[in-house]
Amino acid sequence: MTVETEPQLAIFGSSPAFAEPLHVGRPNVGDRAAIMARIEGILDRNWLTNDGPLVREFEDAVARLHGVRHCVAMCNGTIALEIAIRALGLTGEVIVPAFTFVATAHALQWQEITPVFCDVDPATHNIDVGRIEELITPRTSGILAVHLWGRPCNVERLEDIARLRNLGLLFDAAHAFGASHNGVMIGNFGDAEVLSFHATKVLNSFEGGAVLTNNDDLASRMKLMRNFGFVGVDSVGYVGTNGKMTEVCAAMGLASLESFDMFLAANQVNYDAYASTLAGLTGIELVRYDGADRRSRHYVVVEVGDDCPLTRDELWKVLVSENVLARRYFFPGVHRMEPYRSFFPHARLLVPQTARLAERVLTLPTGASVGVDDIGVVAGILRRAIAASDQVHRCLAEVGIEADVSYSGTVAQASR
Ligand SMILES: *Cc1c(COP(=O)(O)O)cnc(C)c1O
């Protein structure tokens, strides 16, 4: 009888590879002194919110970076989506992918517009443009597509469909800050594109969002809607909400912009480190950011193939036990979350590729706070687990995959 030696992994009782958790979406923080200096200025002016000078400066800078006429800053990406949807006059049904963060669908459902889930293309993870037309009904008013992982959708085809079928076209560009498509920056496609500056995004303003558009009317409607519909001092033109960005958020956004090239450089180095250290690992495929276009590489995503001796969930469990808090974005798919799961129990029939991807992808930690040495350790863990797949499989079968996976304390630092 041979005695198997247990590999050095925390699931077998070794101490975790990382004493402190390694997060996905740990905030990128730029130059502290630059942030503080701007905050001093805010307090000196005593102008805290309501279209202040830093919000305007931030809007101008973001619009310039994307080569777009208007950037309308908001308090967060979700409200920015809601306002863009309303300002564009979408009603009834809107076609949207289910392989996305839940806010994409919520922004529709919140205003009683029905999200109609469209499957994604397994090669790009973006909305499958070949499946959209069969979902159009007399109630369809628009398409809300997502540039997942910051890789732009097939915007040409989407613009064709929208024009031919007379539909509004919005993009959830929450992942796509600073990205380009065939040399044209995000913000210039469809009717409008929506950014998020949440703490976990490549460029953050603590919380924040914006709508980019070249449509003057749409921009002025959105500016009124984010400020209760006020058209004059005591005069309200129509229903609005409070979607304003504060000055302190704009201060953070401006400081983040100053450090943006540094964030991009860190992501590039980290991405290359993952690519080289994961190379040749059976069944582990890195989502690629090929070509000459600009990409933030803020999402390091691996697809765990059928040829991998361990499942995505097994690898996830191994990593979490080592304090590598990888995320299963966007498991289980929006169509399997409430209220959509109850509203559309048949939705899984429409989105088989979404279901498949949701079981296969894993997002790994990157960003300015993650170093190349950390990545070597993460890759080493994956390598050891795969090499000892039989033992890992047996060990996890005993404890159960979902058992005590804990992200305690991560909410404040990184969230979701
Ligand atoms: C982050 C995110 C949002 C929501 O943005 P918030 O600023 O957090 O409200 C919407 N869609 C996608 C795809 C996101 O990743």
Side-chain angles (χ1 to χ4, degrees):
M1 203 178 103
T2 58
V3 179
E4 285 179 304
T5 52
E6 283 176 340
Q8 274 243 321
L9 289 169
I11 56 165
F12 297 120
S14 305
S15 43
F18 292 92
E20 294 294 318
L22 206 59
H23 293 277
V24 169
R26 183 125 196 251
N28 282 337
V29 177
D31 182 43
R32 215 173 255 247
I35 299 165
M36 294 308 177
R38 282 202 176 82
I39 293 174
E40 293 283 358
I42 294 169
L43 297 177
D44 290 345
R45 283 186 296 277
N46 203 15
W47 187 347
L48 308 186
T49 186
N50 285 30
D51 214 11
L54 296 188
V55 166
R56 288 186 189 194
E57 188 184 339
F58 182 60
E59 288 178 331
D60 288 347
V62 171
R64 218 175 315 117
L65 176 66
H66 292 85
V68 61
R69 285 171 67 83
H70 304 282
C71 169
V72 184
M74 310 263 186
C75 55
N76 61 57
T78 305
I79 294 285
L81 275 169
E82 287 174 13
I83 289 179
I85 288 162
R86 190 178 282 258
L88 195 58
L90 302 187
T91 57
E93 297 175 0
V94 169
I95 296 168
V96 65
F99 195 52
T100 179
F101 183 59
V102 70
T104 317
H106 276 355
L108 296 163
Q109 189 63 48
W110 189 255
Q111 27 202 347
E112 301 191 348
I113 297 168
T114 302
V116 173
F117 296 118
C118 183
D119 212 358
V120 291
D121 179 339
T124 65
H125 301 188
N126 283 327
I127 195 164
D128 184 347
V129 291
R131 302 235 80 111
I132 289 175
E133 295 202 84
E134 64 199 24
L135 298 172
I136 296 174
T137 76
R139 298 184 71 228
T140 308
S141 63
I143 302 167
L144 171 53
V146 182
H147 301 307
L148 206 73
W149 319 135
R151 298 192 299 181
C153 301
N154 184 345
V155 292
E156 292 81 7
R157 187 75 194 104
L158 287 164
E159 287 182 336
D160 283 348
I161 296 169
R163 190 171 46 247
L164 287 168
R165 308 298 293 255
N166 197 25
L167 300 174
L169 178 59
L170 291 177
F171 290 100
D172 178 338
H175 295 182
F177 185 91
S180 66
H181 176 68
N182 296 334
V184 179
M185 293 298 286
I186 285 304
N188 291 285
F189 302 107
D191 293 294
E193 304 202 54
V194 180
L195 300 171
S196 165
F197 311 120
H198 182 254
T200 54
K201 305 299 203 266
V202 65
L203 183 130
N204 87 83
S205 65
F206 299 132
E207 290 264 9
V211 187
L212 303 177
T213 183
N214 288 312
N215 181 325
D216 299 346
D217 288 342
L218 194 62
S220 47
R221 261 200 309 283
M222 291 189 296
K223 283 183 186 173
L224 297 175
M225 284 182 170
R226 75 173 170 186
N227 188 29
F228 313 100
F230 274 107
V231 291
V233 177
D234 293 319
S235 164
V236 170
Y238 42 77
V239 67
T241 184
N242 183 353
K244 300 189 303 294
M245 177 179 270
T246 66
E247 285 290 275
V248 78
C249 287
M252 184 64 171
L254 285 163
S256 298
L257 268 177
E258 284 162 2
S259 298
F260 187 52
D261 286 343
M262 194 254 280
F263 301 153
L264 289 183
N267 281 353
Q268 175 81 63
V269 167
N270 287 352
Y271 183 87
D272 292 344
Y274 274 114
S276 60
T277 54
L278 296 178
L281 212 49
T282 310
I284 302 290
E285 207 179 313
L286 196 55
V287 163
R288 318 279 323 174
Y289 297 101
D290 294 335
D293 271 309
R294 294 167 61 139
R295 300 283 177 267
S296 73
R297 291 169 178 77
H298 191 60
Y299 299 88
V300 173
V301 182
V302 293
E303 252 185 89
V304 181
D306 297 331
D307 50 341
C308 183
L310 293 171
T311 65
R312 185 277 310 271
D313 282 350
E314 286 172 330
L315 291 173
W316 174 60
K317 179 82 190 201
V318 166
L319 287 173
V320 170
S321 70
E322 304 286 353
N323 248 338
V324 179
L325 304 188
R327 300 299 307 267
R328 298 184 294 178
Y329 294 153
F330 284 101
F331 177 81
V334 176
H335 65 296
R336 288 175 61 193
M337 296 175 169
E338 293 293 0
Y340 314 107
R341 182 167 68 176
S342 298
F343 287 173
F344 318 111
H346 62 284
R348 67 193 160 76
L349 301 174
L350 297 172
V351 295
Q353 297 301 337
T354 299
R356 183 172 163 278
L357 273 178
E359 297 291 337
R360 291 163 70 99
V361 297
L362 196 58
T363 300
L364 301 175
T366 188
S369 66
V370 176
V372 166
D373 292 349
D374 298 327
I375 290 165
V377 174
V378 173
I381 293 165
L382 291 172
R383 198 169 290 279
R384 286 201 298 285
I386 288 173
S389 58
D390 286 345
Q391 284 159 285
V392 169
H393 186 71
R394 251 182 282 131
C395 171
L396 292 179
E398 278 166 35
V399 298
I401 292 291
E402 301 284 344
D404 63 58
V405 167
S406 160
Y407 287 83
S408 57
T410 68
V411 175
Q413 287 181 55
S415 93
R416 51 212 193 217

